[in-house]
Amino acid sequence: MHGKLLYVDLSDSSFRIEPIREELLEGFIGGRGLGARLLYDLTTPGLDPFAPESPLIFTVGPFTGTKWPSGTQWSVTAKSPLTKAYGGGFCWGEFGIRMRRSGCLGIILRGRAPKPVSLLIGKNGVEFLDASQLWGKSTRETTDGLSLGRPGCSVACIGQAGERLSGLASIIGDKYQMVLRTGMGAVMGSKYLKAIAIEDIPWESPANEGFDALAERLIPQVRDHYASKRLREQGKPMLIRSKNMVGDLATHNHQRPSFDECIDRIDGEAMKRFTVSNKCCEGCPIGCLRVTRTAKVVTEGPEYEPIWALGPRIGNGDLEYLIDLFEECLADGLDPIGFGGVLAFAMECAQKGLIRPEYELRWGERTAIDRFYRELVDNVGLGGELRNGTKEYYLNHPETRPYAMEVKGVELSGQEPRQSKAFGLSLAVSNWGADWGYGLPTLDVAYNIAAAKELFPDDYNELLIVTSEEHKARLVKFTEEFNAVSDSLGICKFACPETYALMPRDLAEGLSAYSDREITQESLLETGERIINLERMFNMREGLTKEDDYLPERFLREPIVVDLYEGNRLEGLRKTDQTRTLTSDLKRMIQEYYGLRGWPDGKPSLETRRRLELL
């Protein structure tokens, strides 16, 4: 494989470029896997996430920026200020493509600049630019300022949330793409690094003719897949209505499983009123993005997760206001999922009489939402007290813990664990906290029977029952590894574990062609297993234990009642006159998951580490 590592010391504006060791790529591929290996090797136990020597790592995969369909993904890795352990996030779009074409598979940033700085990678090499005039500016202004006079330049930057070290701070790529969870924007802000800008540098792809031919053959496979067509035609907001029907659209901080009173105002059909056009990432045949317009803003998105977080989660049924609020999150570099989580927590605490009444926090009330948002970004008042998530807050106010919907300090993403059993397990055991993108066990919720038959031929019927806990540990183990592989290759999730338009065998064939060595599906997934285990080893080294694999007690003890439907979300749902009462038997699923992983007491055994060459 081809690529280099750029090591940057922001303390003295120095850098060095090193060739990447072949064995590092053979063991961890690139992208997320490379980031995990570098973080493990460059971090000492107990290091503060904001310490100058704590690394912030940007990585891309070998397929990023090539002809491979949807090869658009890039990753960010660091010790998280939220989890105090492994932190990471992913994004797609032009920034990763420009980074790959610059020759870098990884950018490792350490130190702390004496004053705000931006990093420019381009035709003149590596340059350090004074960012004093950009500090305090929005991500929009920052991107425009750095792109001026640099056609094709791509920018990843932070806004005020990152500058003020909020644990909910995101990194924003080219104004509209978000590295959302685990506080990566705060780590960037702690280094006084405002932005990384990469010019459009002519390059010669390291891929060979065999790889390019395979990629060309797979483009129509991705483009014409039924799930790709649905994403292109309806966008990701299409999930809102079907999830509401089956009780998987948690409302009012997971007090209820559906948002029936407002669903017509926030679903995919409603979103069409604000949609201007479709948009594709460069090199992607799917085209799932949407340009939207309100009376105030033009933006890209929001997708399902932000709609849920800024809508049903906080009792808001005003879609136009939701889009405007989402655009504020983009401009300030604030994770909308995390923001919705802490606000819903505060609203329920107010409902229970645990928040001072002068805040007047009521479900869906715009004045209260706007005030809380501004307080969080500005680090004042109640919003400022919740700027690092609900876990930090309830440790100081233990009476509020029952209403904190978090795992490892990360607010839950948009799934209802009592209804979607696989997602519940996935959120509990995820090495970077309760985020949908780590495990992404979509086979059952999407009723992807073709992929399930191929991957689980003996058990697919029961595995596809969303509300059954049978075989969910097997499903989560597999999807975690498939995610780790696609993230490491640099392929967008919406071509792989979200839709299965590309199967593991396709990725194995692609990496075989790219690297000119035989790689089987089994060996490729074992690489994914190695990455998952290394991330778990990092967490254990930082003091996490099996007790950190949990779900909030609400999901274990408070039942929900959901309507039962015939059919499936793909072919259509038909309501029956039956209901089901659900809680989560998490303990059983975790024990099975640990057994499959070779993790007695939640940590990789010596035998597991030896088998995966992680000693």
Side-chain angles (χ1 to χ4, degrees):
M1 298 186 201
H2 305 265
K4 298 177 181 180
L5 296 177
L6 170 62
Y7 288 87
V8 177
D9 189 336
L10 293 163
S11 298
D12 60 5
S13 297
S14 63
F15 68 92
R16 70 182 192 275
I17 299 173
E18 294 184 359
I20 195 164
R21 302 193 315 273
E22 198 68 26
E23 62 270 20
L24 188 59
L25 295 178
E26 289 180 3
F28 297 92
I29 302 175
R32 175 176 145 197
L34 175 61
R37 179 77 261 182
L38 291 168
L39 181 69
Y40 191 90
D41 292 344
L42 295 174
T43 306
T44 55
L47 184 65
D48 189 303
F50 294 154
E53 60 269 30
S54 190
L56 175 66
I57 303 165
F58 288 70
T59 50
V60 292
F63 290 7
T64 307
T66 66
K67 292 183 178 181
W68 191 268
S70 305
T72 66
Q73 192 152 300
W74 48 286
S75 298
V76 181
T77 311
K79 188 172 181 182
S80 167
L82 285 178
T83 69
K84 305 301 188 291
Y86 174 68
F90 62 91
C91 201
W92 43 81
E94 279 64 37
F95 182 83
I97 294 171
R98 298 292 179 269
M99 180 174 160
R100 181 71 180 98
R101 292 177 180 174
S102 75
C104 291
L105 280 179
I107 303 172
I108 302 94
L109 301 133
R110 303 178 87 173
R112 178 181 294 131
K115 62 180 181 179
V117 67
S118 294
L119 189 69
L120 174 64
I121 301 170
K123 55 183 179 296
N124 295 324
V126 179
E127 300 177 69
F128 297 84
L129 307 179
D130 184 357
S132 300
Q133 297 301 312
L134 293 175
W135 202 255
K137 300 292 187 182
S138 72
T139 61
R140 301 288 177 273
E141 295 167 304
T142 300
T143 301
D144 288 340
L146 287 169
S147 300
L148 186 65
R150 299 184 178 100
C153 182
S154 185
V155 178
C157 65
I158 58 172
Q160 292 189 43
E163 293 175 5
R164 292 169 179 165
L165 308 188
S166 168
L168 305 180
S170 300
I171 298 171
I172 308 299
D174 296 315
K175 298 184 180 180
Y176 302 113
Q177 306 304 327
M178 310 181 81
V179 182
L180 287 170
R181 318 306 309 278
T182 73
M184 297 295 96
V187 178
M188 192 164 168
S190 75
K191 298 184 176 302
Y192 277 129
L193 178 62
K194 181 64 175 179
I196 301 176
I198 306 179
E199 293 184 309
D200 190 9
I201 304 169
W203 84 316
E204 185 175 341
S205 172
N208 54 51
E209 290 183 5
F211 175 87
D212 285 348
L214 174 62
E216 294 282 0
R217 176 167 62 82
L218 289 173
I219 288 172
Q221 177 177 312
V222 174
R223 182 191 63 225
D224 300 335
H225 190 270
Y226 71 87
S228 299
K229 289 180 178 179
R230 292 183 73 210
L231 283 167
R232 187 160 52 250
E233 293 165 1
Q234 303 177 43
K236 297 162 196 172
M238 69 180 176
L239 298 171
I240 294 289
R241 179 166 289 275
S242 64
K243 286 171 74 70
N244 187 74
M245 291 169 67
V246 300
D248 191 21
L249 193 73
T251 300
H252 294 175
N253 201 36
H254 288 270
Q255 293 184 78
R256 294 191 281 119
S258 299
F259 199 35
D260 293 334
E261 64 270 31
C262 293
I263 192 64
D264 291 336
R265 289 188 268 153
I266 63 166
D267 68 355
E269 281 299 312
M271 181 62 76
K272 290 179 181 178
R273 301 199 314 269
F274 303 99
T275 300
V276 176
S277 63
N278 283 33
K279 184 177 177 181
C280 286
C281 292
E282 181 179 334
C284 179
I286 299 176
C288 63
L289 301 176
R290 293 292 186 275
V291 177
T292 52
R293 182 194 303 272
T294 70
K296 290 183 178 180
V297 304
V298 176
T299 189
E300 286 184 17
E303 300 168 3
Y304 162 72
E305 289 281 348
I307 293 174
W308 168 75
L310 303 176
R313 188 175 204 166
I314 60 174
N316 171 38
D318 185 334
L319 184 56
E320 183 166 14
Y321 172 62
L322 189 159
I323 295 170
D324 292 342
L325 186 58
F326 172 69
E327 170 64 17
E328 283 194 71
C329 290
L330 282 168
D332 289 322
L334 184 69
D335 171 12
I337 306 172
F339 169 71
V342 298
L343 177 54
F345 163 82
M347 285 178 164
E348 185 171 5
C349 287
Q351 175 187 322
K352 300 291 197 281
L354 299 174
I355 294 290
R356 298 187 298 278
E358 62 265 28
Y359 275 97
E360 299 181 342
L361 284 169
R362 294 186 295 273
W363 300 107
E365 209 282 310
R366 291 174 59 166
T367 301
I369 294 170
D370 290 341
R371 174 183 175 180
F372 186 90
Y373 179 92
R374 205 64 257 159
E375 286 187 347
L376 194 153
V377 174
D378 293 341
N379 190 21
V380 297
L382 179 63
E385 293 179 53
L386 280 159
R387 63 199 293 273
N388 292 317
T390 56
K391 183 173 183 177
E392 180 180 272
Y393 187 89
Y394 75 62
L395 289 174
N396 295 314
H397 305 276
E399 72 279 7
T400 66
R401 180 168 186 173
Y403 316 113
M405 302 297 110
E406 58 78 34
V407 177
K408 300 180 180 71
V410 177
E411 313 308 316
L412 256 70
S413 55
Q415 292 76 42
E416 171 46 67
R418 288 164 288 194
Q419 193 273 350
S420 180
K421 304 293 187 171
F423 260 110
L425 174 61
S426 174
L427 296 174
V429 300
S430 163
N431 284 324
W432 70 35
D435 182 51
W436 67 276
Y438 189 86
L440 198 56
T442 62
L443 271 179
D444 57 350
V445 295
Y447 197 73
N448 195 330
I449 191 168
K453 277 184 175 180
E454 177 175 335
L455 297 166
F456 300 92
D458 299 328
D459 306 308
Y460 70 90
N461 277 318
E462 194 157 26
L463 181 143
L464 288 172
I465 301 173
V466 178
T467 56
S468 169
E469 283 149 359
E470 296 298 323
H471 307 297
K472 294 307 189 277
R474 289 183 61 207
L475 175 59
V476 170
K477 178 181 182 294
F478 165 77
T479 58
E480 283 183 337
E481 291 161 9
F482 189 23
N483 265 280
V485 166
S486 62
D487 289 350
S488 300
L489 287 168
I491 308 169
C492 176
K493 291 179 184 291
F494 288 89
C496 287
E498 173 74 25
T499 62
Y500 292 83
L502 292 171
M503 296 289 283
R505 54 179 158 74
D506 296 315
L507 307 193
E509 186 179 1
L511 191 55
S512 296
Y514 185 93
S515 62
D516 200 26
R517 58 187 176 91
E518 184 177 357
I519 296 166
T520 65
Q521 173 175 307
E522 292 71 27
S523 66
L524 185 64
L525 290 172
E526 186 178 84
T527 302
E529 184 183 8
R530 181 178 300 113
I531 293 164
I532 298 294
N533 275 266
L534 183 67
E535 293 165 346
R536 174 63 52 140
M537 288 166 58
F538 184 91
N539 282 353
M540 298 299 108
R541 194 174 73 177
E542 293 299 327
L544 271 63
T545 70
K546 65 179 181 180
E547 303 304 320
D548 293 290
D549 293 335
Y550 59 81
L551 286 173
E553 285 293 308
R554 166 162 287 168
F555 303 122
L556 312 182
R557 303 189 185 280
E558 298 179 23
I560 56 171
V561 178
V562 301
D563 292 322
L564 294 185
Y565 286 78
E566 296 175 341
N568 56 72
R569 299 187 200 185
L570 174 62
E571 298 170 347
L573 294 167
R574 297 172 299 280
K575 187 177 180 180
T576 71
D577 58 359
Q578 296 178 303
T579 61
R580 179 170 293 172
T581 302
L582 300 169
T583 54
S584 175
D585 187 358
L586 180 65
K587 183 176 180 181
R588 173 192 170 195
M589 290 190 291
I590 282 185
Q591 287 176 335
E592 184 180 355
Y593 173 84
Y594 285 168
L596 292 170
R597 278 250 172 261
W599 291 357
D601 295 323
K603 63 176 105 175
S605 67
L606 178 62
E607 180 182 353
T608 298
R609 287 183 285 126
R610 181 179 290 119
R611 176 174 59 82
L612 296 172
E613 300 178 345
L614 288 172
L615 295 176

